[in-house]
Amino acid sequence: MNLQQQQSVLTIAMLAAFADGAKDDTEREEIRRIAQSLAAEGNMPDLPRLYQDVLLRRTSLESAAAALQDPTHRQLAYEMAVCVCDVDGRQTPTEREFLAHLKQTLQLGGAATDAFEQEEQALLNALDGATTPTATKPGLPVPVPAAAPNGPSAAAVQREAELDKSILNYALLNGALELLPQSWASMAIIPLQIKMVHAIGLAHGVELDRGHIKEFIAAAGVGMASQYVEQFGRKLLGGLLGKVAGKTLGNIGQAATGMAFSFATTYALGQVAKRYYAGGRVMSTAMLRESFQDMLGPAKQLQTEYLPQIRQKAATLDAGQIMSMVRGA
């Protein structure tokens, strides 16, 4: 892909992110930040302008699609738009209308998209049937009594160590998912972050439902659509996208260190969740976001250290394993 084609695919992804018309100011600001970050890291100075063009409706699907003459590029743009619309749950009627218009504009027939749509629907069905993890599942921490007045008990220290190990494992897994060639694989990252936060709350004696967990993740400043746009943008600029018309573009063994940023996001989110629930859930939204940003820098440094393990895990994952993990099996 040349620069213009990359910008067109990113424009379509941003249009998809705003397709439901429900993105709040926080989500818009996060996508703006991502555009600036990708421009700086990917040497794409026009990305902030693209964001403004999308937000102010100075661009259209037709103009973005016009730069995509290669059928594989058109299919990639469609796949990424579908994933952006799906990342926060089932598509709204407005999103379905947007995707139907996009498919027509990109001149994609059923044969070109059937395999992807089957995989995407299978993952959505897995998400619908997913159960939140319980403390008795293997590898997850078990709640223990609170620390004694004179300091942490041995059981509390063990709990914290188990939580840290669990957070690291979730971070490694999500970093690996981001490196997979399948365009839909990254959709599993947010459900796994939800499972991680659930396990952390449970370890501190708090039973959480999915609605509360999503609110906590958003309060920390981790937007769903914006997180996926960033994953996608880094994959695109790093040459690691994806399965397009049966072709694998990129090689997980050659992935740049900055690609597996979902490791850092997941790790920082887990550490903030641990602090939040251990402290009795008294942190304000501003404190949550500040804590998350404070953790993100060290987490990015840590992901560099663990990149070989992330790549190794990515090489062993397949679609069936991903579906099983999302379902909580």
Side-chain angles (χ1 to χ4, degrees):
M1 275 192 183
N2 60 34
L3 181 62
Q4 183 181 9
Q5 291 163 342
Q6 288 177 330
Q7 290 175 337
S8 292
V9 176
L10 282 167
T11 295
I12 290 172
M14 290 183 189
L15 286 166
F18 292 119
D20 63 0
K23 297 294 178 289
D24 60 18
D25 291 340
T26 301
E27 188 85 345
R28 292 190 186 97
E29 173 60 23
E30 185 65 9
I31 293 177
R32 183 197 64 78
R33 182 198 63 76
I34 288 165
Q36 291 181 330
S37 174
L38 291 175
E41 296 179 24
N43 194 27
M44 293 183 64
D46 285 341
L47 266 180
R49 178 184 60 80
L50 293 180
Y51 165 78
Q52 289 294 330
D53 287 346
V54 169
L55 191 63
L56 301 176
R57 300 183 180 181
R58 295 191 301 231
T59 190
S60 65
L61 283 180
E62 288 75 12
S63 61
L68 302 175
Q69 298 301 316
D70 189 317
T72 61
H73 297 165
R74 288 174 172 254
Q75 183 170 338
L76 172 62
Y78 175 72
E79 289 187 9
M80 301 320 300
V82 171
C83 290
V84 170
C85 290
D86 283 346
V87 75
D88 55 356
R90 292 285 181 176
Q91 297 163 13
T92 66
T94 304
E95 288 172 330
R96 287 195 294 271
E97 182 179 349
F98 168 85
L99 292 172
H101 179 47
L102 174 62
K103 191 172 186 178
Q104 182 180 26
T105 302
L106 293 173
Q107 300 177 343
L108 293 174
T113 58
D114 281 350
F116 162 74
E117 289 175 349
Q118 289 173 4
E119 292 173 332
E120 174 249 351
Q121 285 300 312
L123 180 59
L124 285 178
N125 291 337
L127 294 176
D128 285 345
T131 56
T132 49
T134 64
T136 57
K137 284 188 177 291
L140 293 177
V142 177
V144 298
N150 60 346
S153 65
V157 171
Q158 181 183 0
R159 177 189 62 186
E160 293 302 297
E162 290 175 347
L163 280 173
D164 284 336
K165 182 178 179 181
S166 178
I167 291 168
L168 177 60
N169 286 337
Y170 274 109
L172 289 169
L173 176 58
N174 280 348
L177 287 173
E178 190 182 348
L179 298 185
L180 294 183
Q182 294 91 341
S183 54
W184 53 265
S186 293
M187 286 173 58
I189 290 173
I190 289 173
L192 290 171
Q193 288 174 345
I194 289 173
K195 288 178 179 293
M196 176 187 69
V197 173
H198 180 273
I200 292 169
L202 203 62
H204 290 95
V206 182
E207 179 69 44
L208 304 170
D209 60 31
R210 288 183 177 271
H212 174 92
I213 297 171
K214 287 182 178 181
E215 289 175 2
F216 167 79
I217 292 174
V222 185
M224 292 188 178
S226 57
Q227 184 178 180
Y228 194 82
V229 169
E230 185 164 7
Q231 293 161 5
F232 163 51
R234 290 181 186 273
K235 276 185 173 183
L236 180 65
L237 301 182
L240 195 67
L241 273 172
K243 197 180 81 172
V244 184
K247 300 177 182 179
T248 299
L249 308 181
N251 185 314
I252 59 175
Q254 299 172 348
T257 299
M259 288 302 301
F261 97 110
S262 289
F263 172 97
T265 301
T266 304
Y267 187 86
L269 182 65
Q271 292 297 327
V272 171
K274 189 176 71 167
R275 185 183 307 175
Y276 178 69
Y277 293 108
R281 297 184 288 175
V282 296
M283 296 171 69
S284 65
T285 297
M287 290 178 64
L288 281 173
R289 293 191 178 183
E290 182 179 357
S291 297
F292 177 75
Q293 290 301 320
D294 288 344
M295 281 300 311
L296 201 55
K300 287 179 179 178
Q301 294 178 354
L302 195 61
Q303 82 180 12
T304 303
E305 176 184 340
Y306 281 99
L307 186 60
Q309 290 94 318
I310 295 172
R311 288 172 172 165
Q312 184 179 18
K313 186 174 286 290
T316 65
L317 290 174
D318 58 34
Q321 289 175 306
I322 296 171
M323 300 298 180
S324 178
M325 288 184 295
V326 169
R327 292 189 187 98

